[in-house]
Amino acid sequence: MTAFLAIANSSFAQPSNNAPFLTTVEGLRNGNGVIIVAGFNKADAFEAMDVTNAAAMAQIPASGSKTAFTFHYLPLGDYAFAALYDEDMDGDLDMKVQVPTEGLPPEFKDVSVLAGGTAQSSLRLKYWD
């Protein structure tokens, strides 16, 4: 089963030109599979979930119900983060009746945060079933 999620909460301090950005993914059903996290600095790429135009990407093993990853040296700017949870590691977004089984991303303007300083975000997985 594959899941979609988007940024839920964020906090940040004084920005710098390049800084680490901690992203935490919570609410995983188990520790199976992998999580692919993408950071977008362009609204059109985020809203289309065009990972070929993501500013940053990482694939990390799932571990329990919560997993964290730090993007290092992100240039200062607004980013929206999204992730895929590929629980069965088949590389596909599982669907039911033409709808992803695990949620849809919001608009860039509603979820973007300023990367820099001690910026971080917490993404919470939302299940549709």
Side-chain angles (χ1 to χ4, degrees):
M1 181 173 294
T2 304
F4 229 126
L5 61 116
I7 198 165
N9 300 310
S10 61
S11 63
F12 43 91
Q14 285 290 40
S16 64
N17 287 337
N18 290 297
F21 192 98
L22 175 66
T23 301
T24 304
V25 180
E26 301 179 34
L28 283 70
R29 288 183 176 160
N30 56 55
N32 299 337
V34 295
I35 300 164
I36 301 165
V37 180
F40 297 89
N41 60 356
K42 296 179 182 169
D44 57 343
F46 174 75
E47 291 167 8
M49 282 296 121
D50 180 4
V51 295
T52 62
N53 285 312
M57 282 188 65
Q59 180 175 312
I60 51 178
S63 60
S65 64
K66 182 178 180 178
T67 300
F69 179 80
T70 300
F71 288 97
H72 293 280
Y73 308 109
L74 280 181
L76 180 64
D78 291 327
Y79 293 85
F81 290 85
L84 286 171
Y85 174 36
D86 192 356
E87 184 177 354
D88 57 11
M89 295 181 63
D90 66 356
D92 291 327
L93 179 62
D94 296 345
M95 308 281 277
K96 283 186 183 173
V97 193
Q98 302 301 320
V99 176
T101 57
E102 305 303 338
L104 297 171
E107 291 185 31
F108 182 87
K109 67 179 177 61
D110 295 331
V111 296
S112 61
V113 294
L114 180 64
T118 57
Q120 57 184 321
S121 68
S122 177
L123 297 109
R124 184 132 196 72
L125 189 63
K126 300 200 185 249
Y127 290 93
W128 283 50
D129 58 350

